[in-house]
Amino acid sequence: MLIKRFKTALLAGLLLTLGSPAIGQSQAPALNAYCQIAQAAASRKEDLRRQAFEGDQAALDQYLAVVEQHAQTLQRCRRQTWPNDQAVWLRLYPCDLQPGILEAVLDRVANLGYNQIYVEALYSGQILLPERDNPTVWPSVVQADGYEQRDLLAEAIEKGRQRGLTSYAWVFTLNYGYSYAQREDRQAVLARNGRGQDSIAFAQSGATSNLEEVFVDPYHLQAQRDFEVALTAIAERQPTGVLLDYIRYSRGVGSHSVVTKVEDLWIYGEGSRLALFRRALNYQGLELMRRYVSRGYLVDSDLSDVANLYPDEVEPLWQSRVPSGTSLKESSAAALRPTLQDELWRLSVAHAVQGVVDFATRAGQTAQQQGIQSGAVFFPGGNRSVGGGYDSRLQYWDRFPSWMAWHPMAYAICGNTDCILDQIRRVVAVAKPRGKAVKPVLAGVWGQSIRNRPALEVQMQAIRRSIPEINSISHFAYSWQDPEFDRSRKFCRL
């Protein structure tokens, strides 16, 4: 069992016996200060599960009773314990449809004191929908013969509910995955930069660290429609909410980690390019925008050219530009060109950023229409200015809708909790005036430091001391807590 791997100090924490058993019922399980079940109770539940799925009816009855009792105990504990909501990010595999395996996974999640699960529903170019009920362009995660109608997402939500777990669907948003990029009818949907690369060619060139990440043009109508279909189908399984991940552009490595020129931006796809040109407010502005985007810079003759092409217009105009009232014909091109070029650079960056924000907003509205909540998952540093440029992700989370929950991934590494707290404080400082709740995402494992990250309980204690208004935390990921079990489920075959 997973809990056996925890440090003795963690398991020896304060035990809380919650509730008194009624006559004829077994003793309610004892939970520690983190709402984690004691090892003896976890082992008993696991033994009953094994016997139940080997055909022992009496064991099945006992197992279901224990599951229900533990769910009630867990819910009481979380109501009385900080944080009230504690979630874990969870990937499921086809083999979880084998008898009793999904139950084992969710039992272990509940044993660790979690009362929420963030189930990966759309990721790496595949979707957690049954083959017989998959209206999307993404292939189903489960493709084994005889399992075409099994709905792993719906089953996880229902069985999670039986264990006191609230389920959210975790979806990759602008990262549509390698399988999507292989479709001949979706080539125009991929994000493109000014170097003639789509996002898959960019990744294959070594500019990113993950070849499976394939980003789409957020302004492309087909990209929007494809995602809406997927989100609607996922919402039909009735998760409590949907969490939007990868609401950004590709994260480059080395020199590609910062955008400093217009050709670095992912605004050259047909959808984004047309949307950019629609921001022109007159023909002079449109022509200068075209020349700037195509060449990457302006030359002095561009100004005289557009003045002669459209003599009835005083000066070039586009969204956000404040008119100067000075005619291009009356101005020195050498003096005015640097100013116009700088304005066009800032317009292009703002356009790229707005595409991400609009896509997130549209996705959140789709979720609302389906009656479920939405949350944005982001890197606190994704909206940074870097030198004379910008972080390549252009993830301006501070512009995400105020009605959407914020889940900052506080993954900073410095050997202690200081840098983690700094990231969370930065987000809280923006969120607090808006009355928004921040729900940090922490990386790590219980009971031990890993990859120079403090143990989860150390991180959580630091947050509680320094930012006590935080009352919802999630942990990435369940696979980190139980790697052997995760590996056996991942590589087995139905």
Side-chain angles (χ1 to χ4, degrees):
M1 289 291 291
L2 168 62
I3 299 180
K4 289 183 178 178
R5 299 190 296 106
F6 293 171
K7 289 187 176 180
T8 303
L10 179 60
L11 288 178
L14 175 64
L15 291 180
L16 305 173
T17 301
L18 302 176
S20 300
I23 296 175
Q25 292 184 335
S26 59
Q27 179 71 32
L31 307 182
N32 69 8
Y34 301 97
C35 293
Q36 296 167 344
I37 194 171
Q39 182 60 53
S43 296
R44 176 174 179 268
K45 183 166 60 174
E46 172 63 8
D47 289 341
L48 287 171
R49 184 196 65 81
R50 290 180 182 275
Q51 294 169 31
F53 285 94
E54 289 173 357
D56 187 329
Q57 183 60 49
L60 176 60
D61 293 340
Q62 293 180 62
Y63 171 64
L64 294 177
V66 168
V67 165
E68 181 180 2
Q69 186 180 63
H70 184 202
Q72 295 171 357
T73 305
L74 173 62
Q75 290 174 334
R76 284 198 296 270
C77 183
R78 288 260 67 102
R79 286 196 296 268
Q80 300 171 12
T81 305
W82 182 94
N84 291 156
D85 292 324
Q86 183 170 277
V88 68
W89 300 78
L90 175 66
R91 174 174 290 187
L92 299 175
Y93 303 106
C95 279
D96 292 334
L97 287 174
Q98 291 181 330
I101 301 304
L102 182 57
E103 286 83 354
V105 173
L106 298 175
D107 283 347
R108 294 184 183 210
V109 167
N111 291 347
L112 292 173
Y114 297 110
N115 63 333
Q116 294 182 346
I117 48 174
Y118 297 164
V119 182
E120 212 167 10
L122 176 59
Y123 64 95
S124 301
Q126 54 187 343
I127 193 165
L128 200 63
L129 296 176
E131 280 193 290
R132 291 280 176 83
D133 189 15
N134 180 3
T136 78
V137 294
W138 288 277
S140 298
V141 172
V142 181
Q143 299 186 31
D145 292 341
Y147 289 84
E148 294 86 356
Q149 299 186 59
R150 290 291 297 276
D151 195 328
L152 186 50
L153 177 58
E155 291 185 31
I157 292 171
E158 176 56 29
K159 292 177 181 179
R161 186 179 297 115
Q162 294 168 3
R163 288 157 178 79
L165 304 173
T166 302
S167 300
Y168 290 75
W170 163 26
V171 297
F172 287 14
T173 307
L174 288 171
N175 172 13
Y176 279 19
Y178 186 81
S179 67
Y180 189 91
Q182 300 310 298
R183 295 181 62 102
E184 293 184 3
D185 60 348
R186 292 297 189 273
Q187 296 305 300
V189 183
L190 304 184
R192 283 174 166 76
N193 61 25
R195 297 186 174 84
Q197 296 172 309
D198 59 29
S199 58
I200 190 169
F202 182 74
Q204 291 173 341
S205 72
T208 68
S209 59
N210 191 338
L211 294 178
E212 294 296 318
E213 293 181 355
V214 177
F215 289 82
V216 294
D217 178 354
Y219 285 99
H220 202 291
L221 293 179
Q222 188 64 61
Q224 296 168 13
R225 285 194 291 264
D226 286 342
F227 193 76
E228 182 177 357
V229 169
L231 207 56
T232 300
I234 288 170
E236 289 175 358
R237 276 67 190 174
Q238 297 186 320
T240 296
V242 61
L243 302 180
L244 307 171
D245 198 359
Y246 283 95
I247 319 174
R248 58 178 177 84
Y249 296 106
S250 180
R251 183 179 192 175
V253 296
S255 62
H256 299 287
S257 64
V258 181
V259 295
T260 57
K261 299 178 286 296
V262 67
E263 54 263 37
D264 295 333
L265 298 172
W266 298 99
I267 61 171
Y268 288 81
E270 61 180 38
S272 185
R273 195 180 180 99
L274 287 173
L276 174 63
F277 293 154
R278 284 198 293 268
R279 299 188 187 280
L281 299 180
N282 64 7
Y283 288 109
Q284 284 191 5
L286 176 59
E287 184 61 25
L288 277 188
M289 289 169 64
R290 284 175 173 163
R291 295 186 182 207
Y292 174 72
V293 171
S294 297
R295 191 190 301 122
Y297 56 89
L298 298 177
V299 295
D300 290 348
S301 61
D302 289 333
L303 277 64
S304 57
D305 285 349
V306 300
N308 292 327
L309 282 169
Y310 306 104
D312 294 336
E313 297 178 354
V314 176
E315 60 180 314
L317 297 174
W318 47 77
Q319 289 177 8
S320 79
R321 183 163 197 267
V322 179
S324 66
T326 304
S327 170
L328 282 182
K329 292 182 178 180
E330 301 172 358
S331 304
S332 164
L336 187 57
R337 179 187 54 77
T339 299
L340 289 173
Q341 183 168 295
D342 181 65
E343 289 183 16
L344 285 170
W345 161 241
R346 287 187 279 112
L347 173 69
S348 300
V349 173
H351 174 70
V353 168
Q354 195 61 46
V356 173
V357 174
D358 288 348
F359 198 95
T361 302
R362 189 177 296 106
Q365 290 170 341
T366 296
Q368 284 185 333
Q369 291 167 4
Q370 302 299 316
I372 63 175
Q373 306 167 12
S374 62
V377 187
F378 57 86
F379 289 102
N383 62 347
R384 294 177 305 159
S385 298
V386 183
Y390 302 89
D391 186 292
S392 62
R393 294 167 291 188
L394 292 178
Q395 191 173 41
Y396 277 71
W397 49 265
D398 49 314
R399 302 185 189 181
F400 289 161
S402 59
W403 41 263
M404 188 176 286
W406 285 2
H407 298 256
M409 295 179 283
Y411 293 170
I413 299 176
C414 56
N416 56 54
T417 60
D418 292 348
C419 52
I420 296 170
L421 293 175
D422 287 344
Q423 288 188 328
I424 298 173
R425 288 192 187 101
R426 181 167 181 253
V427 177
V428 169
V430 176
K432 200 168 185 178
R434 305 183 189 185
K436 288 188 59 60
V438 176
K439 303 179 179 183
V441 187
L442 306 179
V445 300
W446 290 102
Q448 60 179 306
S449 176
I450 183 174
R451 303 173 192 173
N452 209 28
R453 288 187 173 92
L456 287 174
E457 65 271 19
V458 174
Q459 297 183 49
M460 292 173 65
Q461 289 163 2
I463 292 172
R464 188 178 188 184
R465 287 193 302 268
S466 302
I467 320 171
E469 60 265 38
I470 297 291
N471 199 28
S472 179
I473 291 176
S474 65
H475 297 157
F476 186 89
Y478 175 71
S479 60
W480 288 28
Q481 311 302 330
D482 202 352
E484 293 179 7
F485 188 40
D486 183 79
R487 193 176 302 112
S488 68
R489 293 163 44 234
K490 179 178 181 179
F491 293 109
C492 90
R493 292 188 178 183
L494 284 173

